[in-house]
Amino acid sequence: MDYFALFLDGICLLGQGVMHIFFVSRLTGKKQKPLHFAVYILLLAALQLVSVRLSLSGTLSIAAGVLELYAVSRFWMGNQPSVSWLAAVLAFYVSQLSFGIINSVEAALFPRFIGSPLLYPLLLAAQVLFFALCAGCYYAVLKFLAWTEDSQTPYIGLLLFPGLFFFAAELYILQTAYSFFAPIVSLEEIGKHSTLLLLQVMGLAALLCTLYAYRQLCQGFQVRAELQSLTQAAHEQKVYITEAQARYEQTKSFRHDIKNHLSVLDGLLRGGKLEEGREYLKRLETVSESLSFPYQTGNPVVDILLGEKLGLAKEIVAEVSLVLPKPCGIDDFDLCVLFANALDNAITACHSNDGAKAIRISGKQQGDFYMLTFENTCSDEPVPPAGTGLSNIRAVAEKYHGAMLTEKTGRQYYLSVLLNISSCNS
């Protein structure tokens, strides 16, 4: 029996080590390596040996195991301290909870088989059930937590303390309620272990509910931040539209008065007043320059937006070669969303590049479709996940029955937006 118990302990230690590393890796999004498994399993084996030699309590040995898993996550996988603590606590809590549930079943059913040849296969079956239950619980935790480091890491403290409470409660149950079962079990003992089984199942349900509530809370924070960003962007785009309308009215007024200006200039020249004529002409040039745009796309809103965005990024070489179809029917607000987000992303990418900084914007019409292309330099780093900016661009493209495509080749990034302009006019 001692050799059989030693065999079960070895299998249990090996299985838990593998599942702990796999769980931490999946939870934090870090790739596991064979060295992680080997080092951690050796640490668990050393801890088990020291615990047996020094007769350490189960609580101390489990606490040391949590510390070992934290160290592997923090220093080998490169996770943040709070994330490493949470991952280690959840990994051990789930394994101890699964162990407690199986223990409750064993304590209620197995004593009557002591001395029977059936005990060994039953213990093996219990070990298999433990691994299956543990794996299922890990899967449920990963599904309910739906980890995204950027959005959830700032609020990790909200989850760490409930996790510690569940873990401490489970350790108390394991240390005070279980011992190796005796040959005879009374109905009172069966009722006690059944109650403990129910409590531990409720503990698992409480953990999953806490994780789900945490995920919803983080999503709420993220949605609120995106809403604030969209509100700010909408305000800026309304300013662009208002300014464009004002420029249009000024240009219209200037064109209306151009005949009068030419008449005045003609009178000055006929009267031989050359200096007065030059001064008058300079004033006309000043007025006309104030009404002109550095980029001419055929849409005053886009012209103003391009002039302001690219004018602030003086270190970036910009080339704009597009004329928007006219009439098109694309709402000015949607054009602002598309161009503002594309330019913001392109300028940010250019700033991250140590070398040349350039942005090229072009457009081409083919039948009922119009293709906008934004090309910019960027760094060698991998492209970050699509954020709110690209999501807004995709929404505009889909609104006009089009599509969005992104591509990165070396230090060049391409954003293509296809719009069905026939649907705009219909």
Side-chain angles (χ1 to χ4, degrees):
M1 182 68 182
D2 291 340
Y3 289 108
F4 184 77
L6 186 63
F7 169 75
L8 284 183
D9 288 342
I11 293 296
C12 183
L13 185 146
L14 180 64
Q16 286 191 68
V18 171
M19 286 193 293
H20 285 174
I21 294 296
F22 186 78
F23 171 75
V24 171
S25 172
R26 289 291 302 274
L27 180 66
T28 60
K30 299 298 177 63
K31 186 177 180 180
Q32 69 270 18
K33 300 178 181 178
L35 187 60
H36 295 155
F37 292 100
V39 170
Y40 180 62
I41 291 172
L42 285 175
L43 288 174
L44 284 182
L47 175 62
Q48 183 74 7
L49 182 61
V50 171
S51 299
V52 172
R53 291 289 180 86
L54 300 181
S55 300
L56 296 179
S57 66
T59 302
L60 286 177
S61 62
I62 292 175
V66 171
L67 186 61
E68 289 177 350
L69 187 55
Y70 165 82
V72 172
S73 175
R74 176 72 180 93
F75 301 108
W76 286 69
M77 293 184 177
N79 292 312
Q80 299 180 18
S82 56
V83 174
S84 298
W85 279 121
L86 176 67
V89 168
L90 285 178
F92 267 87
Y93 170 67
V94 168
S95 60
Q96 293 301 308
L97 178 67
S98 302
F99 181 72
I101 291 174
I102 297 300
N103 257 5
S104 296
V105 177
E106 288 180 343
L109 302 178
F110 283 18
R112 67 192 65 183
F113 294 100
I114 292 180
S116 169
L118 290 176
L119 181 61
Y120 295 100
L122 286 175
L123 289 174
L124 285 174
Q127 190 69 53
V128 172
L129 287 176
F130 161 72
F131 286 133
L133 178 61
C134 195
C137 291
Y138 282 139
Y139 175 79
V141 170
L142 291 171
K143 183 177 179 181
F144 276 84
L145 188 54
W147 178 266
T148 52
E149 187 169 345
D150 291 339
S151 63
Q152 297 189 14
T153 300
Y155 318 110
I156 204 69
L158 299 175
L159 190 58
L160 184 57
F161 289 103
L164 286 173
F165 170 77
F166 290 131
F167 190 27
E170 180 60 27
L171 286 180
Y172 179 79
I173 292 176
L174 290 176
Q175 297 302 315
T176 59
Y178 294 110
S179 59
F180 190 75
F181 35 79
I184 300 177
V185 175
S186 63
L187 290 177
E188 182 180 355
E189 285 292 317
I190 294 177
K192 170 188 172 183
H193 291 300
S194 299
T195 301
L196 291 175
L197 174 63
L198 178 61
L199 287 175
Q200 291 175 100
V201 171
M202 291 176 62
L204 174 62
L207 173 67
L208 296 180
C209 290
T210 302
L211 296 178
Y212 177 77
Y214 175 75
R215 182 182 68 179
Q216 295 299 109
L217 177 65
C218 291
Q219 289 178 347
F221 287 150
Q222 187 175 3
V223 168
R224 186 172 65 181
E226 291 178 356
L227 181 60
Q228 291 175 348
S229 176
L230 290 174
T231 302
Q232 180 66 25
H235 174 72
E236 293 177 355
Q237 288 153 14
K238 288 179 180 178
V239 171
Y240 291 137
I241 294 173
T242 302
E243 185 176 346
Q245 291 172 342
R247 288 280 193 97
Y248 177 77
E249 292 298 328
Q250 292 173 0
T251 303
K252 184 178 179 181
S253 176
F254 180 78
R255 288 177 177 174
H256 180 269
D257 295 335
I258 193 65
K259 289 184 179 181
N260 296 329
H261 293 306
L262 292 176
S263 297
V264 172
L265 185 60
D266 181 65
L268 292 173
L269 294 176
R270 286 178 180 275
K273 300 178 180 179
L274 299 180
E275 289 300 324
E276 289 85 347
R278 290 193 184 95
E279 289 297 326
Y280 197 84
L281 185 59
K282 287 181 180 179
R283 279 185 286 174
L284 288 178
E285 289 176 349
T286 302
V287 173
S288 64
E289 288 177 358
S290 67
L291 296 176
S292 64
F293 305 102
Y295 303 100
Q296 305 290 331
T297 67
N299 184 289
V301 175
V302 176
D303 293 345
I304 291 176
L305 193 151
L306 288 172
E308 181 171 326
K309 294 282 186 182
L310 297 177
L312 294 175
K314 299 184 183 300
E315 73 280 8
I316 299 176
V317 177
E319 179 185 347
V320 179
S321 56
L322 69 92
V323 176
L324 293 172
K326 189 175 182 179
C328 173
I330 301 178
D331 187 76
D332 285 341
F333 187 86
D334 293 327
L335 285 173
C336 275
V337 170
L338 196 158
F339 276 88
N341 284 286
L343 286 171
D344 287 341
N345 290 345
I347 292 171
T348 301
C350 285
H351 286 159
S352 67
N353 184 26
D354 297 331
K357 297 175 172 57
I359 296 175
R360 184 177 184 275
I361 305 172
S362 60
K364 185 177 181 181
Q365 182 174 350
Q366 292 183 346
D368 293 335
F369 292 89
Y370 192 83
M371 174 70 79
L372 280 169
T373 303
F374 299 84
E375 177 185 351
N376 60 268
T377 55
C378 58
S379 66
D380 288 328
E381 298 296 324
V383 178
T388 305
L390 287 180
S391 299
N392 292 340
I393 295 173
R394 181 180 289 107
V396 171
E398 292 176 352
K399 176 180 178 180
Y400 293 95
H401 309 289
M404 183 194 79
L405 178 66
T406 61
E407 181 183 359
K408 183 177 184 295
T409 304
R411 287 177 175 260
Q412 292 293 124
Y413 183 84
Y414 302 89
L415 168 65
S416 300
V417 182
L418 183 66
L419 301 172
N420 187 338
I421 56 177
S422 67
S423 64
C424 304
N425 297 323
S426 59

